[in-house]
Amino acid sequence: MSKQSTHKAMHTAMQPVLQLLTEINTFMKNEGITGSITYRQESSHMVRCGRSQISLNVSEEGEKYFVEIQASQRKISGSTTAQANDSDKLKTLVSTLNERVKLMPEVAHMSPMTAIVQGDLNRFNADGALINLDSKVMVDLFKRCGEHFAHGNVEVSGAFSAGVYSYAIINTLVDAPVAYQGSDYNVELVLQLLDHDKKELRVADVGEALNQFDANSLIKQLDASYQLLTNTPRQDIEPGEYDVIFHADAFGDLINYLGYMALHGETYQYGMGMLQQDKHQIGSQLFGSNFTITDDPTDPEVLFARPVGENGIARQPFPLISDGVLSNQFYSDKDDCDRFGIARNNDMDVASIKVATGNGPTDFAAMVKSCTKPTLFISFIHYMNLTNAAKGEFTGSSRFGTFLIADGEIKAHLYNQRINDSYHRIFNQIEWLSSQLHHVNMSSTYGMRSASSIACPRFVKVNKVKITGSSAPGKG
Amino acid sequence: MLEQGRQVINYLQQHGVDYADIRIHQLDEEETIATMKGDVDKYNLVSKQGYGIRVLVNGAWGFASSEVMTLTAMQQTGHQAIAKAKNASDYIQQKVRLAPKAVIQDSYSSPCQIDPFTVSTQDKLARLLQLDSQLADKRFDYWGVSASFYKRDILYIDSEGSEIRRHLIELDAELFAYAKDQNGEQCRRTFNLPQDANGTTGWENIINDAQFDHTARIREELLALLDAPECEKEVCDVILLPEMMALQTHETIGHALELDRILGYELSYAGGSHVDLADFGQLQFGSHKLTARADGTVANSPGSIGYDDDGVKARNVTLIKNGVLQDAITSRQMIMEANAKAGRTIFSASGATSRAQNYSNLPIERMNNINIDPGQDGSLADIIAATENGLLMETPRSWSIGSNRENFHFATEVAWKIKHGKITHIVRNATYRGDSLSFWNALDMVGDERTWQLQPVFQCGKGQPNQIMRLAHGIPACRFKNVQVGE
């Protein structure tokens, strides 16, 4: 796995922004105001394809400033769109909030504001090729895909998003802002097979720089799935417990939910996740001993690593689940942490989650060959949601290719299967994990761009997953 | 700004666009207040300005947005949109065509008695903290109240000559309480402020006790839930109250009938639809008791905005009549494309549902008010009395829907067991699931107007880039036969 970007350039607009933040921070200090200012910026491009044609080709330029003021144990926040020459607009917002904060009741548990981290921490990692991307590159992917599958009665869909995003933060306890600028692209390419009951296939990719994008590879992967789906019979299976091999796109989604349900400290404190404080603490064996998760911004295998969170907290290697044992939880939000008298230790919003690999197969053929007993292959989970958060129970249905494997070969492709299980069971019943990582996109791509991905093994086999229904008529 | 907008449209026409529109958010403000356990947990003010420019060139869309409000910046943004349309036109199968519409010069304002932005901060805090205090109970872990107020002034100008101003005010408010049940697992009860379909949308809703002060009921229901038995697995009748009916309608009628989704434009993300163009006029979507509408003309609703972002005047469209599928949630572009694909005129005019979340988004088909007509099966008490073995269910806790909206699995915050026409006890962790068409065809009782409520939805997600939309569902209490629950 190599997704390290090589082509970096600083967005020229950042320097005036850092000057403006410093100016407003000085203004606040001179006015005797305690508070912080956060800047967020994005330039986003997106091309969307549907019915084998471009349906949407859009771009967005956005800059927002977020001001937070704390007066003793009173607090207020506000934000506005502004440009780097709009210092008067920001000063007006600061003054408005400063007047209104006096009306807020005191909050007894509110702790004093703390200084944001200082030092040589600014990172400008944006790929110049993504800052002003010509949408022709994005359109061409879908066009080439359409040409590749022109022989079949298929419709090409998908979305290709790319852009640059920045944040910078300063507060009145320090003199200098800390800033980050990065770029990302993420692509998903979908085929609908009109002659095959509108079955669907999907491939996806995520990266930091345009030179990591490989259209040929994506189309080749899609073609491989196409061959599988068009050369195997479709069948349905009875509800029950099945061994399931999840592709990284499906497993990454499970990990994403697990993050909120078990690794999000505030959720744990509020009792809104799957862990109960009287049963599960740091040090508890939650899951199987073959399951390890880290957040390490120094790990060369993760994407979008940030040394400082959007909350101004420095980030260090942060083990989360170590051999199944809960090692750490994220505490990112000051208001929530104040309520529980806990210090912030990270920023979950910019975490670089990685699931440790195992010794399982890495390529599709070897994975199939490894299945001698009936096993389901699930490539993607559609619309996962929690049916009982306290028990860690969830539901969701497979999508974009679900296969029945046995005797070392694919026997059939299946209707989409509905899973009703719990994260406790899933992560305690992992049989093996691939020895190779795959990046799964988790980015917010528009409206307030922020890149994120989960690195997890390409395939993960889990025993006895509960299947309760399917998309076959009458089986929902 | 009107003159500047006109200049931009003229400029784009001079640069060869086949069509152009600009949406300028001259004012876009939001105020959010949240309490928790007697404290002000959040007080946040948001102010935005910006615009989006959409053009058609060579039969393809291009769109660009910016927050720099000068004429020069708008012209540059327009050039970006033109370049994107030209690139997009390199891979199209059929050119975008827009259905005819009336040229409009008009304005629309949300009905509002008391503009929430004119109410003093002290009064707002006092009211929310009062409700917060009424939710408190020693068995509860957390409780609170949240309210968000939205105000937008949007100027729409298009190259066909329409100029429309919209002054929109919306409010969203909620009560919530959380506590641990007998097993130490967290339960919750929430209450979303419903809207009076014929009323107004201002601060008056928040200070109306009958409308918003459901604190005693929420508190009592959560206390009862904490010691309640779990929902058992069985097949029985279910009666859905308005908050749950809103979810059921939203997920399995609303999203399933978005025409862009039916055509396949949402495939890579949200999914498709089990509905095909051939189904219109023929498919028995539900029982004969089901009549559903996409009604943008409801007097007071976050789904009522006067004109959509294509500049089409709001309409009341019958989607399903006596169970038979009739129409869809449509826009100017999609009805032309669908009619061409079907080889017949299924859709006679845009349903005026093309909407964008923000100035930075391209409008797409969105639900407005997806409503179900009240029936003639009496009050809720009448429906309960007619039920031999059932569950009365309220308030969504979880939802997961098949990618073609062909099936669903929902969990509810609260349910009550019904035996022999009477409520016997409250149950927790209730769930139900089904196939969409089978479920709607199992609709056998529809409550009358006394059970009909307008339930707002402020967090409907759709599209890439994802857009969050505000809308509503006017729905009665309904009963469905033989539903799988507790699984």
Side-chain angles (χ1 to χ4, degrees):
Chain A
M1 185 195 79
S2 177
K3 281 284 186 182
Q4 292 294 295
S5 59
T6 55
H7 186 180
K8 310 276 174 72
M10 177 178 170
H11 197 308
T12 52
M14 274 303 272
Q15 202 53 46
V17 168
L18 300 184
Q19 287 169 4
L20 177 61
L21 288 176
T22 306
E23 178 191 337
I24 301 301
N25 200 47
T26 303
F27 168 76
M28 289 168 68
K29 287 181 187 180
N30 291 341
E31 295 291 316
I33 298 169
T34 301
S36 66
I37 317 153
T38 303
Y39 166 79
R40 291 190 66 179
Q41 172 274 340
E42 69 165 323
S43 300
S44 287
H45 310 274
M46 178 175 267
V47 168
R48 197 178 196 204
C49 182
R51 299 193 69 210
S52 299
Q53 61 183 346
I54 302 303
S55 63
L56 175 151
N57 186 357
V58 301
S59 70
E60 176 187 23
E61 300 284 338
E63 291 184 89
K64 291 183 178 64
Y65 290 82
F66 301 81
V67 175
E68 218 169 69
I69 289 176
Q70 186 170 339
S72 183
Q73 289 176 300
R74 298 180 168 93
K75 191 174 155 187
I76 194 167
S77 61
S79 68
T80 186
T81 50
Q83 281 76 55
N85 58 359
D86 281 342
S87 68
D88 288 346
K89 190 173 183 180
L90 286 182
K91 286 175 184 171
T92 300
L93 175 61
V94 168
S95 300
T96 301
L97 294 175
N98 193 43
E99 280 303 307
R100 214 172 283 195
V101 75
K102 296 166 189 161
L103 304 174
M104 299 296 116
E106 286 200 345
V107 176
H109 59 252
M110 189 179 291
S111 71
M113 191 179 80
T114 55
I116 63 164
V117 65
Q118 296 282 273
D120 181 21
L121 294 163
N122 289 354
R123 298 287 183 274
F124 300 107
N125 291 341
D127 174 17
L130 289 176
I131 290 175
N132 290 306
L133 181 66
D134 185 346
S135 62
K136 191 173 186 315
V137 175
M138 306 156 97
V139 171
D140 280 351
L141 169 70
F142 299 109
K143 187 178 180 184
R144 287 175 57 188
C145 186
E147 289 166 355
H148 182 89
F149 290 101
H151 62 283
N153 189 15
V154 303
E155 286 190 341
V156 177
S157 296
F160 191 152
S161 172
V164 58
Y165 56 97
S166 316
Y167 62 87
I169 179 167
I170 192 168
N171 72 20
T172 51
L173 300 179
V174 302
D175 294 323
V178 177
Y180 177 87
Q181 185 171 69
S183 58
D184 73 296
Y185 74 85
N186 56 79
V187 184
E188 51 192 345
L189 203 48
V190 169
L191 278 191
Q192 188 177 56
L193 283 57
L194 300 179
D195 290 341
H196 294 264
D197 200 21
K198 292 188 176 179
K199 293 166 205 160
E200 305 156 349
L201 296 167
R202 173 185 183 269
V203 292
D205 187 28
V206 59
E208 293 177 325
L210 192 58
N211 63 11
Q212 297 162 347
F213 168 65
D214 183 349
N216 289 335
S217 171
L218 283 174
I219 293 170
K220 191 175 167 187
Q221 289 174 52
L222 201 56
D223 190 75
S225 298
Y226 176 81
Q227 299 303 330
L228 280 177
L229 207 61
T230 52
N231 290 298
T232 53
R234 179 188 250 184
Q235 71 179 59
D236 197 20
I237 56 172
E238 289 302 312
E241 293 187 352
Y242 292 85
D243 290 351
V244 171
I245 295 175
F246 292 102
H247 183 267
D249 287 339
F251 197 73
D253 204 11
L254 290 164
I255 296 296
N256 191 36
Y257 271 79
L258 180 70
Y260 174 76
M261 296 292 286
L263 307 178
H264 191 268
E266 291 91 336
T267 300
Y268 174 75
Q269 295 294 335
Y270 281 112
M272 292 178 179
M274 60 187 270
L275 305 184
Q276 281 80 53
Q277 293 184 33
D278 57 339
K279 297 178 192 164
H280 315 104
Q281 301 93 27
I282 301 294
S284 294
Q285 183 82 39
L286 298 182
F287 306 120
S289 60
N290 58 354
F291 187 53
T292 291
I293 307 179
T294 56
D295 164 37
D296 183 355
T298 67
D299 185 341
E301 290 192 312
V302 302
L303 295 176
F304 315 122
R306 282 93 138 177
V308 180
E310 292 171 6
N311 55 7
I313 302 285
R315 287 168 31 75
Q316 308 290 339
F318 198 66
L320 292 159
I321 304 288
S322 306
D323 303 327
V325 175
L326 182 65
S327 303
N328 272 302
Q329 292 171 302
F330 291 99
Y331 287 98
S332 318
D333 183 81
K334 180 177 180 298
D335 294 342
D336 288 328
C337 287
D338 280 354
R339 184 175 292 281
F340 301 108
I342 294 170
R344 288 178 293 173
N345 61 8
N346 208 322
D347 182 1
M348 192 173 181
D349 285 346
V350 301
S352 302
I353 300 288
K354 184 173 89 170
V355 180
T357 53
N359 296 316
T362 58
D363 67 83
F364 192 82
M367 178 273 289
V368 170
K369 201 171 178 183
S370 75
C371 299
T372 52
K373 295 177 183 174
T375 303
L376 308 187
F377 175 72
I378 289 178
S379 59
F380 186 90
I381 301 176
H382 177 82
Y383 220 131
M384 186 158 30
N385 207 337
L386 310 169
T387 50
N388 188 331
K391 292 180 176 173
E393 292 173 347
F394 70 94
T395 188
S397 67
S398 68
R399 196 181 169 197
F400 298 126
T402 308
F403 297 99
L404 174 63
I405 309 172
D407 304 324
E409 61 183 39
I410 292 177
K411 298 290 188 185
H413 66 268
L414 304 174
Y415 286 91
N416 295 337
Q417 300 296 313
R418 180 162 290 282
I419 305 168
N420 262 297
D421 214 314
S422 83
Y423 301 109
H424 288 293
R425 277 171 45 88
I426 293 285
F427 297 113
N428 268 297
Q429 293 170 180
I430 294 173
E431 183 178 321
W432 54 253
L433 305 97
S434 286
S435 58
Q436 188 180 64
L437 284 175
H438 181 88
H439 293 286
V440 182
N441 176 48
M442 294 287 160
S443 300
S444 300
T445 57
Y446 208 84
M448 196 50 75
R449 191 175 198 90
S450 183
S452 174
S453 78
I454 292 174
C456 63
R458 182 170 295 275
F459 306 113
V460 179
K461 185 172 184 180
V462 180
N463 299 134
K464 296 183 178 177
V465 177
K466 291 181 182 174
I467 302 294
T468 59
S470 78
S471 60
K475 300 290 285 294
Chain B
M1 193 53 77
L2 175 63
E3 187 51 39
Q4 185 170 318
R6 287 172 177 160
Q7 288 178 41
V8 173
I9 295 296
N10 288 338
Y11 181 83
L12 294 169
Q13 288 177 308
Q14 287 162 15
H15 285 79
V17 302
D18 301 315
Y19 167 89
D21 61 43
I22 182 168
R23 272 179 297 116
I24 306 170
H25 285 226
Q26 294 176 264
L27 179 143
D28 193 328
E29 295 187 340
E30 177 182 340
E31 180 182 28
T32 298
I33 309 171
T35 73
M36 187 184 284
K37 294 181 79 168
D39 289 326
V40 175
D41 195 49
K42 179 181 184 184
Y43 190 105
N44 191 54
L45 301 171
V46 176
S47 176
K48 296 186 287 189
Q49 266 192 319
Y51 54 93
I53 294 175
R54 181 173 66 154
V55 300
L56 263 181
V57 180
N58 300 337
W61 287 120
F63 176 86
S65 71
S66 171
E67 291 158 351
V68 185
M69 305 297 283
T70 64
L71 177 60
T72 303
M74 286 183 174
Q75 290 170 337
Q76 287 171 348
T77 304
H79 275 296
Q80 285 180 31
I82 289 171
K84 287 182 176 296
K86 286 179 177 171
N87 280 340
S89 70
D90 196 31
Y91 186 47
I92 55 172
Q93 309 300 327
Q94 54 270 314
K95 293 185 174 185
V96 171
R97 291 184 301 139
L98 300 176
K101 67 160 185 174
V103 174
I104 302 282
Q105 278 95 34
D106 198 5
S107 62
Y108 173 85
S109 295
S110 306
C112 179
Q113 274 184 38
I114 306 171
D115 180 345
F117 290 85
T118 66
V119 177
S120 74
T121 304
Q122 294 97 319
D123 285 353
K124 288 174 186 162
L125 293 174
R127 173 59 171 167
L128 299 191
L129 287 168
Q130 175 216 341
L131 294 170
D132 179 293
S133 69
Q134 293 171 197
L135 282 166
D137 188 277
K138 63 179 186 298
R139 291 189 71 184
F140 293 175
D141 296 325
Y142 305 101
W143 60 90
V145 186
S146 70
S148 294
F149 312 107
Y150 306 93
K151 182 191 271 191
R152 291 178 289 169
D153 284 340
I154 304 171
L155 173 61
Y156 168 94
I157 306 170
D158 69 31
S159 57
E160 296 176 355
S162 288
E163 296 176 349
I164 301 165
R165 287 184 184 278
R166 285 174 291 173
H167 176 70
L168 304 175
I169 291 181
E170 291 132 358
L171 65 87
D172 180 22
E174 182 195 46
L175 312 173
F176 62 89
Y178 290 78
K180 290 188 186 62
D181 66 17
Q182 58 199 289
N183 298 327
E185 295 166 357
Q186 200 161 63
C187 285
R188 75 174 189 225
R189 277 299 283 130
T190 59
F191 172 74
N192 284 309
L193 176 70
Q195 306 275 312
D196 176 355
N198 297 309
T200 54
T201 193
W203 175 250
E204 60 275 11
N205 293 272
I206 302 287
I207 55 177
N208 180 339
D209 279 346
Q211 193 174 353
F212 193 37
D213 186 2
H214 286 239
T215 53
R217 178 172 68 81
I218 293 301
R219 193 180 61 240
E220 294 308 315
E221 287 178 0
L222 182 56
L223 284 168
L225 270 177
L226 300 181
D227 303 313
E230 293 240 9
C231 176
E232 291 181 6
K233 181 178 174 180
E234 64 173 322
V235 173
C236 67
D237 298 347
V238 301
I239 302 169
L240 301 185
L241 290 171
E243 289 182 12
M244 209 59 219
M245 265 303 290
L247 179 76
Q248 187 71 52
T249 304
H250 183 92
E251 302 292 1
T252 61
I253 292 180
H255 281 305
L257 295 185
E258 293 157 345
L259 190 52
D260 56 345
R261 188 173 179 126
I262 292 168
L263 287 171
Y265 285 110
E266 285 292 313
L267 207 63
S268 64
Y269 178 60
S273 174
H274 60 85
V275 170
D276 284 323
L277 293 178
D279 292 331
F280 287 92
Q282 297 186 25
L283 178 67
Q284 192 72 39
F285 196 103
S287 76
H288 70 282
K289 297 209 170 191
L290 175 64
T291 292
R293 304 173 183 282
D295 185 0
T297 68
V298 172
N300 173 44
S301 163
S304 299
I305 57 171
Y307 296 87
D308 75 355
D309 292 330
D310 281 348
V312 178
K313 190 175 177 61
R315 294 177 55 210
N316 180 358
V317 176
T318 304
L319 298 172
I320 298 166
K321 187 170 184 181
N322 300 329
V324 178
L325 181 65
Q326 304 288 337
D327 212 316
I329 296 167
T330 61
S331 69
R332 296 181 76 192
Q333 175 190 352
M334 291 301 159
I335 64 167
M336 298 296 281
E337 192 169 324
N339 288 341
K341 185 180 182 196
R344 64 187 175 109
T345 301
I346 304 173
F347 308 104
S348 57
S350 165
T353 69
S354 181
R355 299 167 68 195
Q357 172 191 334
N358 196 4
Y359 51 81
S360 56
N361 295 99
L362 187 83
I364 55 177
E365 268 90 346
R366 301 309 300 254
M367 295 180 224
N368 43 20
N369 303 292
I370 308 304
N371 301 344
I372 291 178
D373 285 0
Q376 297 175 351
D377 293 314
S379 66
L380 177 61
D382 294 330
I383 298 174
I384 292 170
T387 301
E388 184 62 20
N389 179 32
L391 272 182
L392 177 68
M393 303 171 116
E394 180 62 321
T395 314
R397 185 163 56 98
S398 161
W399 47 97
S400 178
I401 307 97
S403 60
N404 288 313
R405 301 281 148 170
E406 72 278 31
N407 60 48
F408 61 87
H409 183 289
F410 296 151
T412 72
E413 285 187 4
V414 62
W416 293 267
K417 186 65 194 169
I418 298 168
K419 277 284 187 185
H420 311 306
K422 288 188 166 49
I423 290 176
T424 58
H425 60 279
I426 193 167
V427 297
R428 65 197 162 94
N429 296 333
T431 62
Y432 69 104
R433 67 182 179 90
D435 287 309
S436 301
L437 289 183
S438 304
F439 187 80
W440 283 109
N441 276 282
L443 171 68
D444 79 329
M445 291 188 83
V446 179
D448 64 22
E449 287 178 355
R450 289 170 290 176
T451 73
W452 195 91
Q453 269 191 20
L454 193 75
Q455 290 288 329
V457 175
F458 278 78
Q459 296 292 331
C460 172
K462 183 189 171 188
Q464 289 172 302
N466 195 257
Q467 300 189 49
I468 305 300
M469 192 51 66
R470 303 165 195 167
L471 52 108
H473 299 291
I475 56 284
C478 289
R479 188 178 80 173
F480 300 84
K481 296 292 286 182
N482 300 323
V483 179
Q484 177 69 58
V485 304
E487 186 177 72

